[in-house]
């Protein structure tokens, strides 16, 4: 007799709909799915769910149909039954007010659809920035065997003989247009070339960073990170993912066996060594939180001091994802990083990371991945800052910053929020000079809300015209992983909850010292306390719906901007370990 919710159940017997009679529930379920033409023989196979995040609003997932077909083929070849199901899809440019606001919603959708529907393992297909974190967060909470496939990077384009790709070049060309260095006709021509095919951004932005992290975590098949979206290689990775998912289902290798403390530490090493997106720290913190791990930012910073940047990709370097793929992809990088990795961490193949590297194709001469002996940048891409302006921490992508500004003291020019910034940043009478520090408030998790990527504050037009290329910028928001500049982000606690950032005023002095990991507001504590009393911060709230849930439940950047009730109920450790 079938029992309701028996964890040892497999296939169509898993998670029966509750009618009070489990055998009838199974009888009814089989009757309905047979309506789609399935036989009993098919329904006896291990069921592999495939999350379909294709959407007309998501060109980064524009190859979804082909990927699903290839995953289904892999599942069938390995003796499983593939069943695709839809979830929310998020694209950076089609998610108002910001995709980060919806990441947790997608994670809930993913978790609950995995829980609700019968599947023995799941292949998650994502790509665009927030989708992979959302899927891993949801799958980690659902707890069944899971495997991540990414859609792959887009191809690069060409503008007047120069290779261009989203989105480092989007910002570079837009900056030139703002500075009157190129005209409307040229910027329109560039617009046609930046995204040359479907797939995710072609530089080391958040999507590429998360793709590399997937491989470092061991939660995707070896080689999953780098094949471009429109290649045969990408489809072969998809087919293999389907076959490995059946293996996962048979061995019942649940996601907690893969997403271990060692796996997270490997992922952090890789994040630092690829000059990866600062956003990945927030996402890794959220995924780790679902598994019961707290992220220790101070320990992460220490990891950064001994993990050089090896990957020469924009925005920290010169190349694109397709070049990384031609250079051997993550195998080349992981092989070089071997002395710093936990090679005994298990992967979805059932073998360890070390065993997979041993089995990989031999190395060859290439110039995209540097050696540990001759790195691109001596320290890791990201440094963690502290000080009275960010008692809970802040971060800077030092590999994409101007070395001349890393030790800097300047006068604050404050913008009270995104609307204030938009209103005044290009005004000719804005009181701003080279050497000042731009401060943007109210773009944190609760402030905007959703912690938008507005931390890449544009250079004020009058300075851009005068040839200023970089300026220190500080906010409680995020920035795109594709952006470049001396930009301090994720200031915690954020201004919307009364963090010190809320009390900065134009004219205050601010000191940034990346070597000392310091971000300080040079204003006495007593004066800050007086300002806090004079202008207390009102908590953000909403009357109904998802916004209400978001504002009530969202955590700060150092806790992954996840909802507090979605974290694992118990903490089992800290990552990285000291
Ligand atoms: Fe989707 Fe860049 S917009 S990855």
């Amino acid at each position: 007799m079938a029992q309701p919710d028996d964890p040892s159940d497999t296939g169509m017997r898993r998670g029966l709909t509750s009618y009070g009679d489990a055998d009838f529930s199974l009888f009814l379920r089989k009757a309905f799915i047979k309506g789609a033409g399935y036989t009993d023989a098919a329904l006896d196979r291990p069921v592999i769910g495939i999350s379909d995040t294709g959407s007309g609003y998501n060109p980064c997932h524009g190859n979804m149909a082909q990927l699903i077909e290839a995953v289904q083929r892999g599942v069938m070849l390995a003796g499983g039954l593939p069943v695709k199901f839809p979830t929310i899809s998020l694209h950076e440019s089609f998610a108002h007010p910001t995709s980060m606001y919806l990441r947790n919603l997608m994670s809930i959708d993913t978790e609950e659809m995995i829980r609700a529907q019968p599947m023995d393992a799941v292949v998650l297909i994502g790509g665009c920035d927030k989708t992979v974190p959302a899927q891993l967060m949801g799958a980690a909470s659902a707890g069944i065997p899971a495997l991540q496939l990414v859609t792959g990077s887009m191809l690069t384009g060409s503008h007047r003989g120069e290779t261009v790709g989203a989105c480092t070049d989007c910002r570079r060309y837009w900056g030139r247009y703002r500075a009157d260095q190129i005209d409307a006709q040229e910027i329109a021509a560039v617009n046609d070339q930046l995204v040359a095919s479907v797939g995710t951004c072609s530089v080391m932005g958040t999507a590429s960073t998360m793709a590399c992290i997937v491989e470092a975590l061991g939660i995707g098949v070896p080689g999953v990170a780098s094949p471009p979206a429109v290649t045969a290689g990408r489809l072969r990775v998809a087919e293999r993912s389907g076959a490995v998912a059946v293996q996962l289902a048979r061995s019942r290798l649940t996601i907690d066996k893969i997403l271990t403390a060692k796996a997270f530490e490997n992922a952090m090493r890789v994040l630092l060594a690829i000059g990866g997106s600062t956003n990945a720290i927030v996402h890794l913190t959220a995924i780790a939180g679902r598994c019961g791990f707290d992220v220790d930012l101070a320990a992460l910073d220490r990891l950064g001091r001994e993990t050089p940047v090896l990957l020469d990709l924009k925005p920290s370097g010169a190349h694109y994802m397709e070049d990384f793929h031609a250079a051997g992809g993550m195998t080349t990088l992981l092989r070089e990083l071997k002395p710093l990795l936990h090679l005994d961490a298990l992967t979805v193949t059932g073998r360890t990371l070390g065993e997979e590297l041993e089995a990989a194709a031999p190395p060859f001469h290439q110039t995209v991945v540097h050696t540990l002996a001759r790195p691109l940048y001596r320290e890791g891409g990201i440094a963690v800052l502290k000080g009275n302006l960010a008692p809970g921490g802040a971060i800077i992508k030092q590999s994409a910053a101007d070395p001349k500004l890393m030790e800097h003291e300047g006068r604050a020019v404050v913008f009270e929020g995104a609307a204030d910034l938009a209103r005044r940043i290009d005004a000719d009478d804005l009181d701003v000079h080279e050497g000042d520090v731009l401060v943007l408030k109210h773009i944190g998790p609760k402030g905007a809300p959703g912690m938008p990527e507005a931390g890449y504050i544009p250079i004020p037009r009058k300075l851009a015209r005068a040839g200023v290329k970089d300026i220190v910028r500080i906010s409680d928001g995020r920035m795109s992983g594709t952006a470049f500049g001396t930009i301090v982000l994720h200031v915690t606690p954020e201004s919307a909850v009364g963090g010190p950032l809320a009390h900065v005023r134009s004219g205050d002095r601010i000191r940034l010292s990346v070597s000392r990991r310091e971000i300080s507001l040079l204003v006495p504590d007593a004066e800050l306390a007086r300002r806090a009393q004079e202008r207390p911060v009102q908590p953000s709230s909403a009357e109904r719906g998802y916004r209400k849930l978001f504002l009530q439940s969202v955590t700060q950047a150092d806790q992954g901007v996840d909802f507090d009730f979605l974290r694992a109920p118990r903490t089992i450790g800290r990552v990285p370990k000291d």
Side-chain angles (χ1 to χ4, degrees):
M1 292 277 280
Q3 301 294 317
D5 288 336
D6 181 344
S8 65
D9 278 338
T10 56
M12 286 294 146
R13 288 176 175 75
R14 282 181 75 98
L16 289 169
T17 311
S18 181
Y19 294 116
D21 175 343
D23 288 321
F24 177 66
S25 297
L26 180 60
F27 171 77
L28 211 56
R29 172 176 284 174
K30 287 179 90 170
F32 275 110
I33 200 157
K34 282 178 178 175
Y38 291 95
T39 61
D40 282 315
L43 297 176
D44 277 346
R45 290 180 166 203
V47 179
I48 308 301
I50 304 170
S51 70
D52 176 355
T53 54
S55 161
Y57 290 104
N58 196 344
C60 296
H61 295 194
N63 56 343
M64 188 60 58
Q66 294 94 319
L67 288 179
I68 289 174
E69 190 187 324
V71 173
Q72 287 173 327
R73 187 166 65 242
V75 170
M76 301 279 279
L77 285 169
L81 174 67
V83 183
K84 68 169 180 167
F85 62 97
T87 72
I88 292 171
S89 186
L90 299 174
H91 182 280
E92 289 303 289
S93 290
F94 296 93
H96 177 79
T98 169
S99 59
M100 188 65 175
Y101 175 67
L102 298 164
R103 183 201 62 178
N104 297 347
L105 184 64
M106 183 175 175
S107 84
I108 294 174
D109 182 7
T110 304
E111 174 183 347
E112 296 305 330
M113 288 302 99
I114 292 172
R115 284 187 194 283
Q117 302 167 135
M119 59 189 85
D120 298 300
V122 62
V123 178
L124 309 155
I125 313 182
C128 196
D129 293 14
K130 307 304 176 296
T131 59
V132 170
Q135 291 181 317
L136 289 178
M137 289 159 69
S141 297
I144 70 167
L147 172 154
Q148 181 78 54
L149 171 64
V150 297
T151 55
S153 60
M154 60 182 69
L155 301 179
T156 55
S158 176
H159 173 65
R160 298 185 182 173
E162 187 193 354
T163 301
V164 292
C167 234
T168 306
D169 299 319
C170 314
R171 293 169 211 289
R172 188 164 58 84
Y173 273 95
W174 190 251
R176 292 180 64 190
Y177 177 59
R178 277 172 55 80
D180 293 335
Q181 290 166 1
I182 61 173
D183 60 17
Q185 190 186 22
E186 183 167 358
I187 196 71
V190 171
N191 195 254
D192 279 345
Q193 290 299 318
L194 288 165
V195 180
S197 75
V198 297
T200 52
C201 288
S202 54
V203 297
M204 192 45 75
T206 305
S208 302
T209 302
M210 289 310 302
C212 294
I213 280 177
V214 162
E215 200 162 333
L217 284 169
I219 196 70
V221 299
V224 67
S226 62
V230 295
T231 59
R234 174 55 57 196
L235 295 179
R236 278 193 286 270
V237 163
E239 184 187 296
R240 176 135 195 252
S241 298
V244 169
V246 178
Q247 215 176 285
L248 272 179
R250 291 206 168 109
S251 60
R252 304 210 180 182
L253 191 60
T254 45
I255 192 166
D256 55 309
K257 312 263 186 358
I258 310 292
L259 298 185
T260 60
K262 286 181 179 178
F264 282 111
E265 199 166 312
N266 285 344
M268 288 171 182
R269 288 278 188 198
V270 163
L271 166 63
L272 294 160
I274 60 178
S277 164
T278 48
N279 290 323
I281 290 188
V282 178
H283 298 320
L284 266 177
T285 304
I287 300 163
R290 298 295 185 98
C291 301
F293 296 107
D294 284 333
V295 167
D296 181 342
L297 284 176
L300 175 65
D301 187 67
R302 283 194 287 280
L303 222 60
R305 289 189 188 264
E306 59 186 51
T307 311
V309 177
L310 302 183
L311 188 55
D312 188 3
L313 245 65
K314 291 186 176 195
S316 299
H319 297 284
Y320 296 87
M321 276 303 277
E322 58 199 38
D323 305 314
F324 181 37
H325 183 59
M330 282 295 286
T331 300
T332 306
L333 185 101
L334 292 169
R335 192 183 272 134
E336 195 56 42
L337 268 186
K338 244 174 145 179
L340 301 176
L341 297 173
H342 296 291
L343 296 172
D344 57 341
L346 195 60
T347 76
V348 285
T349 61
R351 290 188 290 271
T352 64
L353 189 65
E355 287 168 340
E356 288 297 349
L357 286 175
E358 286 303 314
F364 54 91
H365 176 72
Q366 50 79 38
T367 54
V368 179
V369 180
H370 288 221
T371 61
L372 277 175
R374 301 190 67 184
L376 185 70
Y377 192 86
R378 198 173 44 79
E379 289 191 0
I382 295 168
V384 180
L385 308 173
K386 272 223 171 167
N388 69 341
L389 189 52
I395 56 168
I396 185 168
K397 188 170 183 178
Q398 52 179 340
S399 59
D402 183 344
K404 292 195 292 295
L405 289 172
M406 306 264 261
E407 308 295 318
H408 184 78
E409 186 185 314
R411 187 186 67 129
V413 176
V414 175
F415 299 92
E416 293 297 327
D420 183 34
L421 177 81
R423 202 165 44 242
R424 295 194 293 127
I425 189 75
D426 286 341
D428 287 334
D429 61 353
L430 179 69
D431 179 14
V432 66
H433 303 276
E434 188 173 4
D436 284 346
V437 175
L438 304 183
V439 175
L440 177 56
K441 302 178 184 176
H442 282 94
I443 59 163
K446 286 188 198 252
M451 208 181 178
E453 289 184 343
Y456 178 76
I457 306 165
I459 309 279
R461 196 191 291 268
K462 67 192 246 190
L463 295 185
R465 281 186 180 137
V468 175
K469 295 270 185 302
D470 198 5
I471 185 167
V472 176
R473 288 158 266 184
I474 300 174
S475 76
D476 45 14
R478 299 175 302 114
M479 77 170 181
S480 163
T482 62
F484 184 98
T486 310
I487 302 174
V488 178
L489 301 154
H490 309 183
V491 168
T492 305
E494 64 171 307
S495 51
V497 299
L501 189 71
H503 309 303
V504 183
R505 293 186 181 171
S506 287
D508 289 346
R509 307 284 301 172
I510 290 179
R511 185 168 60 224
L512 167 68
S513 170
V514 178
S515 67
R516 292 199 303 274
R517 302 297 197 256
E518 178 196 351
I519 183 75
S520 296
L521 178 62
L522 306 181
V523 172
D525 289 348
E527 168 61 13
L528 283 179
R530 192 190 64 74
R531 290 182 190 177
Q533 239 180 5
E534 186 181 289
R535 232 189 282 166
V537 170
Q538 298 303 322
S540 320
S541 64
E543 282 189 355
R544 61 165 298 282
Y546 179 68
R547 195 179 176 100
K548 182 171 182 174
L549 177 73
F550 188 96
L551 290 172
Q552 281 174 347
S553 312
V554 75
T555 59
Q556 293 290 287
D558 59 346
Q559 293 172 304
V561 197
D562 200 359
F563 292 159
D564 48 13
F565 61 87
L566 292 175
R567 255 194 75 98
R570 274 172 299 284
T571 300
I572 57 172
R574 286 170 83 79
V575 287
K577 284 201 177 112
D578 257 336

